[in-house]
Amino acid sequence: MTWRQALLLSCFSAVVLLSMLREGTGAPVGTTPAAKEEASEDAKQRIFMQESDASNFLKRRGKRSPKSRDEVNAENRQKLRADELRREYYEEQRNEFENFVEEQNDEQEERSREAVEQWRQWHYDGLYPSYLYNRHHI
């Protein structure tokens, strides 16, 4: 009895699997010839490029032949754009570093000013200006 159940279960799963695969492929079974032709045209447009693009793609300039004016201009525009981007990037980096250094210097000046003020308060002898700086040397 168990072998019959196993056989029935395997056949049922095979039928379900085949029906899913057939629906998943989306093959145009039973469609009209016009629909098939439209589908093939759509596929061709996605795969192939226009004739003018293809001919321009296949036209290659020899290594020793001079570049056209358009090629030279396009290359120069690309180089100028790259230079401009590089300049902007380094300018931004320099500005960030200058701001960082300025903040560090400000903090250091503040710490040293506080230290000097604390030293003056500690060594103040009640006279103004304090006696240490107002000694009369004989």
Side-chain angles (χ1 to χ4, degrees):
M1 189 70 167
T2 59
W3 64 272
R4 285 184 187 172
Q5 290 176 348
L7 181 65
L8 184 62
L9 183 63
S10 63
C11 289
F12 180 70
S13 63
V15 167
V16 168
L17 183 65
L18 288 175
S19 67
M20 289 176 127
L21 288 176
R22 193 184 67 175
E23 290 175 3
T25 56
V29 177
T31 58
T32 61
K36 287 182 185 177
E37 190 174 312
E38 288 177 14
S40 66
E41 288 295 323
D42 186 37
K44 284 181 185 177
Q45 286 179 352
R46 279 188 272 139
I47 294 173
F48 299 108
M49 60 175 67
Q50 297 292 327
E51 285 184 36
S52 60
D53 295 340
S55 64
N56 289 338
F57 179 77
L58 294 175
K59 287 180 186 174
R60 295 197 182 268
R61 181 176 52 82
K63 287 184 179 180
R64 296 176 62 97
S65 64
K67 295 180 181 178
S68 68
R69 174 82 57 197
D70 294 332
E71 277 182 297
V72 171
N73 289 340
E75 287 181 7
N76 285 338
R77 278 195 305 271
Q78 286 178 342
K79 288 177 187 175
L80 290 173
R81 180 67 180 147
D83 290 344
E84 182 181 349
L85 291 175
R86 190 178 306 113
R87 192 178 319 112
E88 288 175 2
Y89 171 77
Y90 285 119
E91 183 179 356
E92 183 178 339
Q93 294 294 317
R94 187 178 63 244
N95 289 340
E96 287 179 7
F97 182 70
E98 286 175 357
N99 291 340
F100 171 75
V101 168
E102 187 176 346
E103 288 177 9
Q104 292 291 326
N105 289 340
D106 290 346
E107 290 175 7
Q108 183 64 36
E109 288 173 10
E110 179 72 19
R111 284 194 295 269
S112 63
R113 187 188 60 76
E114 288 176 359
V116 167
E117 191 168 326
Q118 287 175 358
W119 186 89
R120 285 183 180 159
Q121 287 175 355
W122 177 259
H123 293 286
Y124 182 63
D125 57 0
L127 302 174
Y128 185 77
S130 68
Y131 177 71
L132 281 175
Y133 303 114
N134 211 11
R135 281 188 198 159
H136 298 288
H137 300 287
I138 299 174

